[in-house]
Amino acid sequence: MSDESGWHVRRLRRALLARGAALVRCLDLAQCGVATHASRHGLVLPGFGRELPDAVIVRGIATGSFEQVTQRLTLLHALAALGVPVYNEARAIERSVDKAMTSLLLRAAGIASPPAWSTECPAQAQRIVLREAAAGHALVLKPLFGSQGKGLQLVGQVDGTFVPLPDLAPYGGLAYLQRFVPPMSAPGFDWRVLVIGGRAVAAMRRVSAHWVHNFAQGARCEAAEVTPALAQPAVRAAQALGLDYAGVDLIPTPDGPQVLEVNGVAAWQGLQRVTGFDIAQAIVDDLIDRKVAAAVGRRSA
């Protein structure tokens, strides 16, 4: 399932065919729908007719209205309820897309992460910014459902100057604020750790002179060792959100790495450039060997 057919889809298609898939289709969830009396399952999946796929990999979900995104997730929920292995499942994607929910689940699991706040009240948000600025902290204002480092803004005490909270209309009328972690080196960096099937399988450093370290924003990717200090929080974060595979972003601090974000529809093009094995094949192998095998076992039991 992807809203665009690009590099990631081509790699996944090749990996699925290498594992013996008879047919690989790329569907946009926006082109799928519900027709309750048209088939036994009630779903409309172009190219499948009355049948269902053997498994689904979620590579991309297009942005849209609340109603449109809700239907797309409903389709994924329905596929899982019908016994189709979905990788990652809708509930896990919902947890990771919503940064406030991610922060809550990380907190509940005892995983180190920068303090975060989420509020619809502009006055309350401004009080948080003022209080944090008085303590010498900057905050990162993020779109609740944003990705690839887009729309991030520093507020509070920024390089000795107070930066007030901007109008929240471009952020959907909601302030999600996360305490900014100053870089410990120049240039600064963070880590992206890829977790597949409960294992941290690859890592990279994303290095940038800018405080935003996303590959999509021009950061330089460097290979990094998957140390226990990176692997443990990354795996625990993926497990806390119920993700089959995840890109976990960690930032260095004097007290050790802290989890910034957890990506449930993670891109890995930058990571692949500095990784010696085929990441798409590792994802497909985990889907087939673990998740599909478990579904087959349940059906035959």
Side-chain angles (χ1 to χ4, degrees):
M1 296 292 192
S2 179
D3 57 320
E4 59 182 18
S5 182
W7 182 88
H8 291 86
V9 170
R10 292 194 298 272
R11 302 284 292 206
L12 289 168
R13 185 189 300 275
R14 185 177 70 182
L16 286 161
L17 293 172
R19 282 299 304 263
L23 179 65
V24 180
R25 292 189 184 277
C26 180
L27 301 184
D28 185 347
L29 281 165
Q31 303 304 316
C32 303
V34 172
T36 58
H37 291 77
S39 64
R40 62 180 176 84
H41 50 71
L43 300 180
V44 178
L45 304 173
F48 282 92
R50 295 177 177 272
E51 301 303 315
L52 289 171
D54 296 306
V56 168
I57 298 176
V58 182
R59 173 54 232 144
I61 302 175
T63 57
S65 68
F66 178 78
E67 291 81 2
Q68 289 172 323
V69 173
T70 296
Q71 165 147 300
R72 293 164 196 168
L73 291 169
T74 292
L75 295 168
L76 297 179
H77 279 297
L79 285 165
L82 290 162
V84 177
V86 179
Y87 195 101
N88 287 302
E89 292 187 2
R91 186 70 186 106
I93 292 174
E94 289 166 352
R95 294 185 184 114
S96 64
V97 168
D98 181 344
K99 291 183 176 63
M101 177 59 75
T102 297
S103 295
L104 284 170
L105 291 171
L106 294 175
R107 168 85 175 174
I111 299 167
S113 181
W117 298 261
S118 178
T119 178
E120 293 183 45
C121 176
Q124 185 179 21
Q126 192 66 272
R127 285 194 294 270
I128 293 167
V129 172
L130 289 168
R131 184 175 67 243
E132 285 290 295
H137 300 303
L139 297 171
V140 184
L141 173 65
K142 300 182 178 184
L144 190 70
F145 303 134
S147 63
Q148 298 185 328
K150 297 176 182 177
L152 275 58
Q153 184 172 339
L154 285 177
V155 297
Q157 193 69 19
V158 182
D159 296 328
T161 301
F162 177 73
V163 178
L165 192 74
D167 179 31
L168 295 179
Y171 296 86
L174 186 141
Y176 172 83
L177 298 157
Q178 187 180 59
R179 185 178 291 169
F180 176 65
V181 179
M184 296 179 62
S185 62
F189 71 93
D190 66 8
W191 291 281
R192 163 62 64 88
V193 179
L194 183 66
V195 177
I196 300 176
R199 294 177 52 245
V201 299
M204 67 177 175
R205 293 197 337 156
R206 304 184 300 183
V207 183
S208 176
H210 194 272
W211 61 272
V212 179
H213 300 133
N214 294 71
F215 171 67
Q217 299 299 319
R220 182 176 77 253
C221 299
E222 299 178 349
E225 181 184 358
V226 183
T227 63
L230 293 178
Q232 184 183 47
V235 168
R236 291 182 61 212
Q239 291 172 339
L241 274 65
L243 291 161
D244 294 307
Y245 83 105
V248 183
D249 299 338
L250 301 103
I251 192 80
T253 79
D255 299 319
Q258 294 191 10
V259 175
L260 284 177
E261 294 187 8
V262 184
N263 302 276
V265 190
W268 65 87
Q269 190 168 7
L271 182 57
Q272 185 65 79
R273 294 180 180 180
V274 296
T275 301
F277 65 92
D278 189 332
I279 292 173
Q281 195 66 61
I283 289 172
V284 167
D285 289 345
D286 182 58
L287 165 67
I288 294 173
D289 296 339
R290 180 180 60 84
K291 195 148 188 173
V292 172
V296 171
R298 287 193 297 269
R299 287 196 293 267
S300 61

